Amino acid sequence: MTRIVIIGGGPGGYEAALVAAQLGAEVTVVDRDGLGGSAVLTDCVPSKTLIATAEVMTTFDSSYEELGIIVADDTPPLEQQARVVGVDLGKVNRRVKRLAIAQSHDITQAVTRAGVTVLRGKGRLGPGGQGVDGSREVLVDHEDGSTESLRADAVLIATGVHPRELPDAAPDGERILTWTQVYDLEELPRDLIVVGSGVTGAEFAGAYQALGSNVTLVSSRDRVLPGEDPDAAEVLEEVFRRRGMNVMSRSRAESAKRIGDKVEVTLSDGTVIEGTHCLMAVGSIPNTAGMGLEEAGVHLNDWGQIKVDRVSRTTAPGVYAAGDCTGVFMLASVAAMQGRIAMYHALGDAVQPLNLKTVASNVFTDPEIATVGYTAADVQRGKMDAVEIKLPLRGNPRAKMQGIRDGFVKLFCRPGTGIVVGGVVVAPRASELIHSISLAVDNNLTVEQVAGAFTVYPSLSGSTAEAARQLHIRKRDEGDA
Ligand SMILES: Cc1cc2nc3c(=O)[nH]c(=O)nc-3n(C[C@H](O)[C@H](O)[C@H](O)COP(=O)(O)OP(=O)(O)OC[C@H]3O[C@@H](n4cnc5c(N)ncnc54)[C@H](O)[C@@H]3O)c2cc1C
């Protein structure tokens, strides 16, 4: 029986464990915090649970007047800016933590039921290198100070990342916070400064604003979400500002200092911003230090991320890596896919190398921004020859009925064949709407095929079909010309 040891029990690790067990291997997962990993315990699941409350607040705030809802006879007029609904953050956070622990428990049960051994402890590669039988040693440091040695025919490293900290902005867990610490707050921050306007910063800034905080978003770049579709980022920034967020562009935070019940954030130009709380969202550091990786021949890049190929092999024979610690694409779905691919490869099953061009991702702001396939940046850099169309949701009948004004559907297709190669949806629940475009990209469907499928009338997805139709007409007209 092939022995597999997996270090790290997040999506990269536990999904791999399930596949390896199904393929008949003897599998051990070593995790120091609990199965589900950061994805379930501190990052993805908790943030989306918090955002579920924020989403209800935004929907209510932005549409109750327009849709004719009466809250109470003495509801103040909108211009008085008074809120008619509020949030008990302590209660919200208790729900967040309860759901996270329950999900970790469910995963542990599923993995154990599949016959996998789960060990609580810190894993690292043993100093012995590769044995004569090709196996590797994994050492597990337990909480009681003991160390256990395991032998494995293949090892998977899936240890994830932790939040990066600025040297002069050390989190104290009360007023200066990382994204893993916000769920201990009992009361809503009155004035929250969010440092960092990538996906994590933007999601939390939008969520806390919806919950009722005054939010300042400190962005070192020209606009929020520098890695996303520029049109989508522009819509979001416009919405943030319209709702009263103070978005500070081209502003780099140097330090954050707690002064009593206040926090002062100093920018590189000397400006000092004051708030009651500060959330640092300035990137992450891979959990790869002190694990005996380089000693075992596993190459790391300058950021400490593990170098892997498209079947998750590292540079050391018998050692695979998956998920955020590889820096390939920081998503739970990609981590899980990399982990599964590693196991298919290690256990001699049919394996398809990782294809990042069909990955669907979403920014959980309001509106959401969902993306799949080739992007505007790919087209601009000449990585893909594609024509694009952008259809604002303003013209969509369902959007009008629901009072939705912000957002669009964008499609990219090959000029000759009309094959759909990418798309962006900016809308409420864009994460659900992107799936039809994902199917098209994954299956090389043409704009004619996407336009030809029925959509419900009225529906937001009607805009996807309409965009495909317009691309088809444009392609036909250009062909005639
Ligand atoms: C705020 C936030 C929100 C996010 N939201 C989403 C989202 O909505 N959708 C999405 O797809 N992605 C989201 N992500 C990204 C997603 O969380 C990660 O891509 C995912 O967690 C990566 O999984 P992983 O298995 O690589 O690592 P992790 O989930 O980080 O798991 C790694 C595990 O390994 C353990 N570990 C580390 N070192 C050792 C060691 N030496 N020995 C034993 N165990 C160890 C850790 O304790 C952890 O349990 C979000 C990230 C953040 C920060």
Side-chain angles (χ1 to χ4, degrees):
M1 214 185 219
T2 311
R3 295 160 301 174
I4 303 279
V5 174
I6 298 170
I7 308 179
Y14 78 77
E15 289 285 349
L18 289 171
V19 162
Q22 276 159 13
L23 292 173
E26 181 188 302
V27 191
T28 305
V29 179
V30 184
D31 193 283
R32 60 174 193 206
D33 294 321
L35 289 200
S38 314
V40 169
L41 292 168
T42 55
D43 297 357
C44 179
V45 170
S47 65
K48 263 77 267 183
T49 311
L50 179 84
I51 286 168
T53 301
E55 201 179 298
V56 175
M57 296 289 286
T58 315
T59 310
F60 191 79
D61 270 353
S62 60
S63 60
Y64 81 91
E65 168 98 348
E66 179 174 344
L67 301 194
I69 295 164
I70 298 168
V71 182
D73 285 347
D74 57 354
T75 302
L78 270 191
E79 60 272 14
Q80 282 184 15
Q81 298 265 314
R83 298 198 91 189
V84 291
V85 284
V87 156
D88 176 344
L89 192 69
K91 199 167 171 185
V92 172
N93 281 341
R94 282 189 290 282
R95 174 172 184 264
V96 166
K97 289 196 260 192
R98 211 171 46 239
L99 283 179
I101 286 167
Q103 194 159 337
S104 172
H105 179 73
D106 287 352
I107 293 167
T108 309
Q109 271 195 331
V111 167
T112 318
R113 242 192 335 258
V116 174
T117 304
V118 178
L119 295 180
R120 190 73 176 250
K122 245 177 122 174
R124 60 195 157 97
L125 293 183
Q130 222 174 356
V132 279
D133 61 349
S135 71
R136 298 238 167 218
E137 183 186 38
V138 172
L139 295 174
V140 183
D141 299 320
H142 294 290
E143 268 178 9
D144 63 6
S146 64
T147 298
E148 184 178 349
S149 166
L150 309 170
R151 288 224 74 89
D153 302 301
V155 179
L156 175 70
I157 314 284
T159 46
V161 295
H162 61 272
R164 183 167 85 90
E165 294 174 13
L166 300 183
D168 292 325
D172 64 1
E174 288 180 358
R175 299 271 164 183
I176 304 174
L177 304 151
T178 67
W179 64 75
T180 67
Q181 295 171 328
V182 291
Y183 306 106
D184 290 330
L185 291 177
E186 278 296 316
E187 283 181 12
L188 196 65
R190 198 191 65 208
D191 300 301
L192 176 67
I193 302 165
V194 178
V195 177
S197 66
V199 175
T200 300
E203 287 188 352
F204 278 109
Y208 278 101
Q209 186 182 42
L211 296 175
S213 299
N214 300 312
V215 175
T216 298
L217 179 58
V218 179
S219 169
S220 62
R221 311 291 277 272
D222 287 345
R223 59 170 167 77
V224 301
L225 295 175
E228 298 295 319
D229 180 89
D231 293 332
E234 196 180 310
V235 169
L236 189 70
E237 188 165 324
E238 217 267 304
V239 170
F240 275 176
R241 288 187 199 274
R242 197 195 313 144
R243 290 185 186 151
M245 192 185 294
N246 176 18
V247 181
M248 303 184 70
S249 311
R250 290 182 295 278
S251 302
R252 189 171 286 278
E254 290 280 313
S255 67
K257 208 164 44 178
R258 179 171 174 173
I259 299 165
D261 287 348
K262 295 243 152 63
V263 175
E264 278 185 4
V265 172
T266 306
L267 307 183
S268 51
D269 67 1
T271 310
V272 177
I273 322 164
E274 208 177 81
T276 56
H277 296 76
C278 171
L279 169 62
M280 304 301 296
V282 289
S284 55
I285 308 277
N287 296 324
T288 52
M291 288 187 62
L293 295 176
E294 283 173 303
E295 295 83 337
V298 176
H299 286 181
L300 308 180
N301 65 17
D302 292 347
W303 296 278
Q305 295 160 331
I306 301 173
K307 287 188 187 167
V308 284
D309 63 13
R310 287 177 60 211
V311 291
S312 309
R313 277 180 300 196
T314 69
T315 46
V319 183
Y320 294 78
D324 284 7
C325 65
T326 67
V328 167
F329 203 140
M330 305 264 213
L331 284 180
S333 54
V334 175
M337 186 62 82
Q338 284 180 291
R340 290 188 209 109
I341 287 175
M343 294 302 105
Y344 295 138
H345 190 272
L347 296 166
D349 208 56
V351 55
Q352 291 269 2
L354 185 69
N355 177 8
L356 292 177
K357 274 301 138 214
T358 55
V359 175
S361 63
N362 191 59
V363 185
F364 289 83
T365 43
D366 181 80
E368 293 182 3
I369 300 173
T371 311
V372 66
Y374 284 93
T375 62
D378 292 330
V379 176
Q380 208 175 20
R381 287 189 211 118
K383 270 173 82 179
M384 170 55 71
D385 184 18
V387 283
E388 90 172 50
I389 188 150
K390 188 177 94 175
L391 220 59
L393 284 185
R394 270 194 311 275
N396 177 294
R398 186 84 191 275
K400 287 182 200 163
M401 292 165 206
Q402 293 187 307
I404 298 167
R405 291 190 190 79
D406 304 298
F408 59 79
V409 172
K410 190 187 263 195
L411 284 184
F412 300 95
C413 80
R414 301 279 285 150
T417 58
I419 288 173
V420 179
V421 292
V424 182
V425 179
V426 181
R429 294 287 156 103
S431 48
E432 311 290 348
L433 295 170
I434 198 73
H435 189 233
S436 55
I437 308 177
S438 270
L439 279 173
V441 171
D442 207 34
N443 292 285
N444 295 321
L445 299 187
T446 62
V447 283
E448 290 81 359
Q449 287 171 311
V450 173
F454 273 103
T455 54
V456 168
Y457 179 85
S459 66
L460 295 187
S461 51
S463 285
T464 304
E466 181 56 26
R469 212 167 290 126
Q470 292 197 19
L471 267 180
H472 165 63
I473 292 166
R474 191 197 299 173
K475 204 164 64 69
R476 190 197 56 198
D477 292 349
E478 280 167 10
D480 287 349

